[in-house]
Amino acid sequence: MDPQTQNQGITANAGDDQLLWGFWYPVLRSDDIRGRSLVTTMRLEVPLVVGRDSAGNSFAMRDVCPHRAYPLSLGRCDGETLECTYHGWRFDAHTGQCKLIPSITADSKLQCDRIAAGSFPCSESDGLVWAYFANAEGRAVDRSAIPLVPEMPKFSARYRVAHLSADLTCNMDTGIIGLMDPAHGPFVHQSWYWRSRRSIREKQKQFEPIPNGFRMSAHAPSANSGPYKLLKIYGKEVTTQIDFVLPNMRTETIRCGSYWFSNRTTVTPIRRDLCRLDFVAAWNLFRWFPVTPFLRFFGKRFIGQDQRVIELQQPGLKVQPRMMLIDDADRQARWYFQLKAAYLASRQTGGPFVHPMDGPVTLRWRS
């Protein structure tokens, strides 16, 4: 049977919202944390308290005291430890190890250094605070074995940066396959500066496997993608490359001679029914033009259109959780579900990760 025909009508369960552990996730903007202030948030259904130590380094702890489950965020940080204001227990801000229990006497056999609050390795990159979630409890991990925090590709020493964020009222899977969907643009994002139904044309792109993901190989931008046309003023060949990497990261790199524009979008679960979209862009293009306010204005509108679609989609997914994935236009969504299944199987069995792609693939669709 022809593989294109064989793959038509494959479905994916929108309720298959298993969380992926063993990855870095963005939790806050770096400038959300100032001085000794403590900020609360939630990622992967884990309540977090985030702050900075006396050296300015960020930390992230589970916002639950192991003693009586009191919120640690109601305490205070002295630059090294975080105090629970219920009984005065103190915990190392980076490791969670208990440093002091005021109520124990000198002859007590209780070894407080064997007690720990949940903590998560923390680092900063591209103006975001990231936490490494090895497990939901924040149990200790071998920090020397943790991969480097993700960093967006940049190709010059001087560049500008902009951030956008939004909440998506869906689970991680729904948000991610919406993020990588190539066919909804002319319908959801209709505008004079982007696309319309009249601009729909056939596309052909080559994809290749990369570790934990896949890549739309470097190519000339589509002729009906308006913003890319602005780069013609530089008189250089324009190429764009798009990567998706587990658990939740889409990165696009646009090159035009020595000029470049990079952007990364992540969809991180807050709860199983609510996600956080974080978008960051960096560029050295159009230094004479105020790109940042335009990017924020149009980007906010663009993301808002996706938010609205996802919101309207939810009632239908409750009665029909199995979404149909058809033909090449939905192949990236299928790869995502296959990558996720392969990763979960590897974690469960301890066996090697088996990539669902065995080589380059050419996909065709209309958008």
Side-chain angles (χ1 to χ4, degrees):
M1 181 181 294
D2 179 79
Q4 300 293 333
T5 303
Q6 185 179 20
N7 285 329
Q8 288 183 7
I10 290 179
T11 60
N13 193 339
D16 180 19
D17 55 357
Q18 286 182 274
L19 301 176
L20 296 181
W21 304 95
F23 291 103
W24 289 98
Y25 289 92
V27 295
L28 285 174
R29 287 274 302 275
S30 291
D31 55 14
D32 287 336
I33 315 170
R34 296 182 176 90
R36 297 288 171 79
S37 63
L38 299 174
V39 181
T40 60
T41 189
M42 177 178 285
R43 296 294 183 271
L44 282 72
E45 299 191 329
V46 178
L48 298 171
V49 53
V50 186
R52 295 191 184 280
D53 63 17
S54 56
N57 298 314
S58 55
F59 63 83
M61 296 181 65
R62 194 165 177 256
D63 192 16
V64 181
C65 180
H67 179 214
R68 299 283 183 89
Y70 197 73
L72 291 174
S73 57
L74 298 179
R76 61 185 183 88
C77 177
D78 63 3
E80 295 182 4
T81 62
L82 186 59
E83 181 188 70
C84 176
T85 55
Y86 193 179
H87 295 91
W89 289 28
R90 285 197 165 273
F91 303 91
D92 184 282
H94 291 285
T95 67
Q97 185 183 53
C98 185
K99 294 296 186 180
L100 174 68
I101 299 178
S103 63
I104 62 174
T105 59
D107 60 348
S108 172
K109 296 182 179 180
L110 178 65
Q111 295 176 289
C112 66
D113 59 355
R114 293 189 177 183
I115 300 171
S119 68
F120 302 87
C122 202
S123 187
E124 295 184 56
S125 172
D126 299 322
L128 293 169
V129 177
W130 299 71
Y132 185 81
F133 289 81
N135 49 70
E137 298 77 23
R139 297 189 303 272
V141 295
D142 179 1
R143 300 200 176 203
S144 66
I146 295 174
L148 294 175
V149 67
E151 185 173 359
M152 195 166 55
K154 308 173 191 70
F155 305 96
S156 63
R158 296 180 60 189
Y159 54 86
R160 298 177 183 176
V161 178
H163 295 84
L164 291 169
S165 60
D167 289 341
L168 304 177
T169 54
C170 63
N171 65 35
M172 183 176 73
D173 292 344
T174 301
I176 287 176
I177 67 170
L179 175 69
M180 62 178 60
D181 176 16
H184 75 285
F187 301 93
V188 175
H189 303 298
Q190 293 186 54
S191 61
W192 63 266
Y193 60 86
W194 189 247
R195 291 176 187 169
S196 69
R197 297 189 186 200
R198 293 190 301 274
S199 71
I200 293 175
R201 61 185 64 190
E202 185 168 321
K203 308 289 177 64
Q204 177 177 305
K205 310 293 183 186
Q206 182 165 305
F207 292 78
E208 56 189 291
I210 58 176
N212 282 339
F214 54 87
R215 169 175 294 161
M216 183 187 293
S217 306
H219 60 281
S222 301
N224 62 342
S225 295
Y228 298 103
K229 296 178 183 178
L230 297 174
L231 300 179
K232 290 182 178 180
I233 68 169
Y234 290 114
K236 303 289 185 180
E237 179 186 10
V238 180
T239 62
T240 181
Q241 175 182 290
I242 301 174
D243 292 355
F244 175 81
V245 177
L246 288 178
N248 63 345
M249 190 179 309
R250 178 192 186 272
T251 304
E252 179 176 15
T253 305
I254 302 166
R255 305 294 301 272
C256 179
S258 61
Y259 297 98
W260 56 273
F261 182 97
S262 295
N263 67 82
R264 183 190 60 223
T265 307
T266 55
V267 177
T268 303
I270 298 173
R271 305 188 306 261
R272 292 178 192 269
D273 62 346
L274 180 65
C275 292
R276 183 71 165 180
L277 182 150
D278 287 294
F279 172 87
V280 58
W283 67 93
N284 71 345
L285 298 159
F286 309 131
R287 292 177 181 172
W288 42 268
F289 188 77
V291 174
T292 303
F294 280 83
L295 181 65
R296 286 175 176 162
F297 175 80
F298 290 112
K300 186 176 181 180
R301 180 177 177 182
F302 197 91
I303 293 171
Q305 292 167 337
D306 283 322
Q307 283 180 295
R308 180 62 174 159
V309 165
I310 286 173
E311 180 183 346
L312 295 173
Q313 184 186 21
Q314 297 314 298
L317 289 176
K318 290 180 180 178
V319 297
Q320 182 182 301
R322 295 195 68 80
M323 298 180 288
M324 184 179 294
L325 303 178
I326 64 165
D327 231 2
D328 283 11
D330 288 337
R331 187 79 68 88
Q332 295 178 70
R334 292 210 302 274
W335 284 335
Y336 162 70
F337 284 113
Q338 290 166 352
L339 284 163
K340 183 178 178 181
Y343 179 78
L344 289 169
S346 175
R347 294 267 294 186
Q348 182 176 7
T349 64
F353 172 80
V354 181
H355 202 293
M357 299 175 67
D358 56 9
V361 176
T362 298
L363 302 184
R364 298 176 178 85
W365 66 85
R366 285 173 52 82
S367 68

